[in-house]
Structure formats: C-alpha cells, structure tokens
Amino acid sequence: MSLSVAFRVDATSLIGTGHFMRCLTLADALRQRGARIRFVSRGLPDYLQAMLAARDIGLASLNQAFTTDLPNDLAHSNWLATTQEQDASESTELLEDLKWDWLVVDHYAIDKRWESAMRRIAQKILVIDDLADRQHDCDVLLDQNYYQNMHTRYEGKVPPYSRLLLGPCYALLREEFRELHTQVKPRTGGVKRILLFFGGVDAGNYTSVAINALSGLHIKGVEVDVVMGAQHPHGAHIKQACATQGYACHEQTPHMAELMAAADFAIGAGGSATWERCCLGLPTLCICTAANQRQQLADAAEAGLLYSLSGEDNLLDRFMRQARCLMENPPLLRLTSKTAMDLVDGSGATRVCKVMGRGDIEFRRATEAD
C-alpha cells in the first residue's frame, strides 16, 4: 500500500534553503519506495518550486497574508510570518483531503502546539530539529547533527514514546553522496583543488570574503571552485571576482557531490553541507553563519571532523592565516578526512525511510526484461 507523506517546510532569504533541501532528499528517497508526497510551504521561491515540479511532487502554497503582530515566544517565531494557530489552520485546509500516514515538520518556528493541532489529519509526525529549544508532539524526532550531549538534549522536550534518531548516521544526504562515499578515499598529499560554498543564500556574503582571502594568499597551481545559490544577493560581484582570479564559478549547480569529491580542501558554512563534506572526506575550514550552528561546529571540531573559525573580528585575516596553516599540513588534513568518512556513510535517508515503514524496497515501472 502506498505511503502518504506531507512535508511542512519553508525557504526564504531569512531561513535559507537547507531545511527545504534535506526535506527534498527524504522525499526523493520515499518516492523511490512508492510514497505519495506533498509539500506545504509559504512563499517558496520559484526555482525551488521548479525542483518539486520536476519530480512530480505536489506543492500546496500557504497564502501570503502576513500577521503584523507576530508572537515572540520562540527564538525563531518570526520565521513563520504568522501565528502557529493560523498556520495550522491553513495547513489543515490544504491537507485534509487525505489521511496522511506521516507529517514531516522542519521549521524552527513550530512546536507542539502546531503539531498537536495537526494530529487529526496525520497518523504520525516526524520532526526534524537541530535546536532542542522547544517542546514537540511527535512520534519520531530526527536531529542529524553531532553534539557531545546529543543523547540528552531532548530530554523532557518530546513525549516518552517518541523515537529519537540522533547523529550524522541519519544525515539526509542525496543518493549520489552515498554512492561516492564508496569510491573516494581519505585525502592524501598536497592541496590542489579548493571548494568554496556558504549555502544557498549566504546573506552575510562570506563567499566574497573567502575569495578575497584565497586571492590574498597568492597560491600557485591550485584550482578553485566557487559555488553560490541562484538567489545570492551579490551574485554579479562574485562572478566578476571569480573571472578576475581565474576561479570556476558554479551557480545553483546540480553537481555538488562531484565538486566535493574532487576537492582536497573546502572553506564553507555549517549546516547540512557539513555532513555532505564529511561523507566525502573533504577537510573543511568552517565558519558559523548562524547562531544555531555555533555549538554544532564547536562539537564537530572537538571530535576532529572539521576546523571551526568562530567570531567576526578580523575575519579576512583569520581566514587567510588558518587556511594557509591547514593547507600546509597534509597529515592533519588526512586525519580529518578519515575521521569524517568513518562517521558519515551517506545512508541516513535509507535509515529514516526504514523507520517510516519504507525500507530497501524500491518501486519502478515494469519493463520487457521483467
């Protein structure tokens, strides 16, 4: 019997695209196993809507009637652009035509109040969270990040019957990452190719800072790939800087996994891309671009999975000094590469599908060969 799964997730210049992309990864894995999928989102950018349409995934769009008097009881309440009560009411209207087996929620502005209100249309609820800063009413909670205290972070925040899926072994990575994980090796030798990527939005324009840092090092014989999202606010400037320096510029590329596998060293942001790089053994100098990444990066650095650059003061200078030190220490990069690959194998989406009742069975159209 076909599984029906709804996703409640948003992507804006404030929220970024990481929440949407990891939900899309899980949706793809579920679709391959015969599930029926529908996304519920507010103000989803056209290029992300196109990704859903290309996969024949349904999209139910919430209206754009923003509430002027927004609540502030959660750290990210403003991300919802309305009240949880209103959002739950609108979402219910868009989903009540079906009885959903699962409702997947990936939104920092939603807590148990919204989730409890959706119980009448969803048999089970899976919450994707990173913050552990609010109460949830869910059957399964997924936090794919590495924390030293990850097994106690959600104590008292979920029902006693809720199943916890914790750590990067559950990281929602696209299938190409799992495939390449078996092909690439831990990095050895010197750095010959560098990858710069700071997420789909990069509102702080860290990409430009990293380009300036690398160009200031005057490194010879090293290729540089710069990746930016289609909505980058400084896209034209970045393209010009890449052309000046002879760097390859990739806009909204579908080949991120291949670029990571080909690189020897990366400079980038925290978030979901952290586990993509770890899966492919790519040593990375990470910068915290959002408050919710701070603990994630600190704990991951402590575990030897990456190198973390914290703070904002003298950012360009610190980029240059730390990047040079790391690139001049191949044994350290090799150790980090191996440690990361040992922890993240790229099969997280498969594990989550199994918990949701869709294991390794995949559906496809019959052919004459069958």
Side-chain angles (χ1 to χ4, degrees):
M1 186 172 66
S2 178
L3 197 72
S4 57
V5 184
F7 287 80
R8 176 66 187 94
V9 62
D10 288 332
T12 65
S13 58
L14 178 65
I15 296 171
T17 60
H19 299 268
F20 174 87
M21 294 306 298
R22 65 186 179 188
C23 283
L24 185 60
T25 296
L26 179 57
D28 281 340
L30 288 166
R31 280 181 64 252
Q32 291 170 6
R33 292 160 174 81
R36 176 178 180 176
I37 309 293
R38 184 184 302 171
F39 274 54
V40 176
S41 299
R42 188 187 310 277
L44 196 67
D46 290 344
Y47 74 100
L48 297 182
Q49 292 189 37
M51 288 185 184
L52 296 178
R55 293 164 166 78
D56 198 25
I57 293 177
L59 170 64
S61 296
L62 295 160
N63 67 59
Q64 293 296 305
F66 287 55
T67 302
T68 55
D69 187 20
L70 291 172
N72 60 0
D73 53 328
L74 297 179
H76 297 80
S77 290
N78 62 320
W79 282 20
L80 204 58
T82 187
T83 64
Q84 290 197 61
E85 180 182 24
Q86 179 63 26
D87 194 281
S89 176
E90 293 179 26
S91 297
T92 297
E93 290 180 9
L94 296 174
L95 293 173
E96 61 186 355
D97 58 314
L98 289 177
K99 182 66 175 180
W100 297 90
D101 295 302
W102 286 92
L103 173 58
V104 179
V105 188
D106 191 346
H107 209 300
Y108 291 164
I110 285 175
D111 66 10
K112 68 177 295 184
R113 291 166 291 183
W114 188 97
E115 295 150 6
S116 296
M118 301 300 291
R119 283 288 185 184
R120 71 183 185 87
I121 65 164
Q123 184 176 352
K124 293 183 178 181
I125 293 177
L126 185 154
V127 166
I128 303 176
D129 194 14
D130 313 282
L131 304 181
D133 68 344
R134 60 205 187 280
Q135 298 285 321
H136 290 294
D137 177 10
C138 60
D139 301 277
V140 178
L141 184 138
L142 165 63
D143 186 337
Q144 64 183 16
N145 296 297
Y146 176 88
Y147 293 101
Q148 292 182 349
N149 65 335
M150 60 185 175
H151 295 291
T152 60
R153 295 178 78 231
Y154 292 95
E155 286 183 354
K157 295 182 173 69
V158 296
Y161 56 80
S162 183
R163 181 170 179 179
L164 301 181
L165 309 180
L166 305 175
C169 69
Y170 293 104
L172 298 175
L173 306 183
R174 298 190 302 277
E175 178 64 16
E176 57 261 38
F177 286 95
R178 185 192 65 79
E179 293 175 353
L180 282 172
H181 176 82
T182 65
Q183 301 173 27
V184 299
K185 304 295 183 184
R187 303 305 190 273
T188 58
V191 174
K192 303 220 181 318
R193 192 164 178 177
I194 300 172
L195 175 67
L196 305 184
F197 176 57
F198 289 88
V201 175
D202 185 23
N205 196 21
Y206 292 100
T207 304
S208 292
V209 180
I211 290 173
N212 291 336
L214 278 186
S215 62
L217 292 177
H218 304 293
I219 305 171
K220 303 296 183 182
V222 175
E223 296 182 60
V224 178
D225 292 294
V226 178
V227 178
M228 64 177 184
Q231 303 294 307
H232 200 294
H234 303 277
H237 172 78
I238 289 171
K239 290 177 183 177
Q240 181 58 52
C242 287
T244 300
Q245 298 299 329
Y247 299 165
C249 186
H250 310 265
E251 183 177 6
Q252 204 63 42
T253 177
H255 305 295
M256 182 59 79
E258 291 90 337
L259 289 171
M260 288 184 178
D264 304 301
F265 178 65
I267 302 176
S272 300
T274 299
W275 311 120
E276 295 174 351
R277 294 183 297 250
C278 284
C279 179
L280 300 182
L282 179 57
T284 303
L285 175 60
C286 267
I287 184 169
C288 174
T289 59
N292 59 284
Q293 295 176 5
R294 190 166 293 113
Q295 192 62 47
Q296 174 206 54
L297 294 181
D299 287 359
E302 181 71 20
L305 303 172
L306 51 84
Y307 305 95
S308 180
L309 187 67
S310 59
E312 296 289 336
D313 296 336
N314 301 315
L315 186 58
L316 177 62
D317 179 62
R318 288 188 297 116
F319 254 137
M320 293 175 67
R321 284 189 287 108
Q322 289 208 28
R324 184 185 294 279
C325 288
L326 290 170
M327 287 188 284
E328 291 177 350
N329 194 337
L332 188 58
L333 294 181
R334 183 170 62 250
L335 176 61
T336 304
S337 179
K338 184 179 186 309
T339 301
M341 289 191 74
D342 287 345
L343 182 67
V344 187
D345 64 3
S347 297
T350 298
R351 295 184 178 99
V352 177
C353 285
K354 185 175 182 180
V355 171
M356 297 176 73
R358 284 293 183 268
D360 293 330
I361 299 176
E362 296 191 13
F363 290 78
R364 60 172 173 78
R365 293 186 180 278
T367 66
E368 290 184 4
D370 294 317

